């Protein structure tokens, strides 16, 4: 893993338990590590979750495909479970592991069938032939793939009108 890396933090609540999923990415946007933090858990559960995340991270770094983990942990059932608050794509989870790997599958693998809400992905084409395609490549290189869920178009803000208006006012 690079010393300085992209990634994101997703905070969600399952029942009355807060879960924080941290990811770390390689330069190409591929996930290479995860961290899972919870509240309301005892030291044993926190230690087990931390070591579980380390084991998953080592597997990812040594070539275990994320798909294998998703297949293994989606639909695992244990408490806390129930409604999810704080995630725009996942509305319920049968366990923390179900939630975590559902989130990773949607964000890094594009597995829309595991989401409970539709994607807001845009179908518009940003390449108008005036250099925006080059800009889009730059955005893809500096943003977290998991954070934007490959929906770069929705995260971009067109400031070209602002620049033009500022020039005319000066």
């Amino acid at each position: 893993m690079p010393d300085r890396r992209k990634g994101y933090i997703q905070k969600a609540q399952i029942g009355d338990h807060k879960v924080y999923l941290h990811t770390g990415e390689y330069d190409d946007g591929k996930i290479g590590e995860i961290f899972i933090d919870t509240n309301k858990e005892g030291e044993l559960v926190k230690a087990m979750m931390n070591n579980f995340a380390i084991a998953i991270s080592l597997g990812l770094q040594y070539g275990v495909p994320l798909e294998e983990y998703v297949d293994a942990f989606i639909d695992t059932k244990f408490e806390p479970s129930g409604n999810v608050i704080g995630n725009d794509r996942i509305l319920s989870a049968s366990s923390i592991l179900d939630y975590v790997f559902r989130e990773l599958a949607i964000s890094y693998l594009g597995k829309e069938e595991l989401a409970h809400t539709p994607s807001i992905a845009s179908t518009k084409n940003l390449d108008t032939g005036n250099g925006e395609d080059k800009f889009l490549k730059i955005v893809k290189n500096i943003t977290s793939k998991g954070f934007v869920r490959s929906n770069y178009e929705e995260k971009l803000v067109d400031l070209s009108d602002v620049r033009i208006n500022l020039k005319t006012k000066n």
Side-chain angles (χ1 to χ4, degrees):
M1 294 291 302
D3 290 335
R4 187 174 183 97
R5 50 191 162 266
K6 298 179 286 186
Y8 71 96
I9 301 171
Q10 173 69 54
K11 175 186 171 187
Q13 187 172 325
I14 304 171
D16 59 349
H17 295 260
K18 289 187 180 120
V19 178
Y20 298 85
L21 171 64
H22 306 246
T23 67
E25 300 174 7
Y26 288 101
D27 290 334
D28 64 359
K30 184 178 171 189
I31 187 169
E33 66 183 355
I34 65 168
F35 301 92
I36 305 168
D37 293 318
T38 60
N39 76 334
K40 290 193 152 196
E41 305 297 343
E43 290 303 311
L44 175 65
V45 174
K46 282 187 179 198
M48 291 296 290
M49 290 300 276
N50 286 336
N51 285 285
F52 174 79
I54 290 169
I56 297 298
S57 299
L58 287 171
L60 291 169
Q61 292 169 25
Y62 281 90
V64 177
L66 178 58
E67 293 91 345
E68 293 295 326
Y69 292 120
V70 169
D71 291 344
F73 296 112
I74 290 288
D75 293 327
T76 54
K77 294 174 178 46
F78 60 86
E79 294 300 323
S81 65
N83 292 334
V84 173
I85 299 169
N87 189 302
D88 62 340
R89 304 301 312 284
I90 302 169
L91 303 179
S92 64
S94 58
S95 67
I96 291 174
L97 296 184
D98 176 56
Y99 168 75
V100 164
F101 287 97
R102 211 172 269 278
E103 167 61 31
L104 295 175
I106 295 165
S107 295
Y108 287 98
L109 302 176
K111 291 196 172 251
E112 292 297 320
E113 67 274 14
L114 295 176
H116 300 123
T117 61
S119 172
I120 58 170
S122 172
T123 57
K124 70 180 182 179
N125 182 1
L126 288 182
D127 183 8
T128 59
N130 62 2
E132 289 182 24
D133 56 332
K134 182 178 178 183
F135 178 71
L136 186 58
K137 285 181 184 178
I138 293 170
V139 170
K140 287 181 179 180
N141 286 333
I142 62 172
T143 58
S144 162
K145 178 181 177 184
F147 178 73
V148 297
R149 292 186 175 134
S150 299
N151 295 327
Y152 298 97
E153 294 89 350
E154 278 68 39
K155 305 299 181 187
L156 294 177
V157 176
D158 183 3
L159 298 176
S160 59
D161 289 340
V162 174
R163 280 189 303 218
I164 293 168
N165 289 335
L166 288 175
K167 286 181 182 177
T168 58
K169 287 182 181 180
N170 290 333

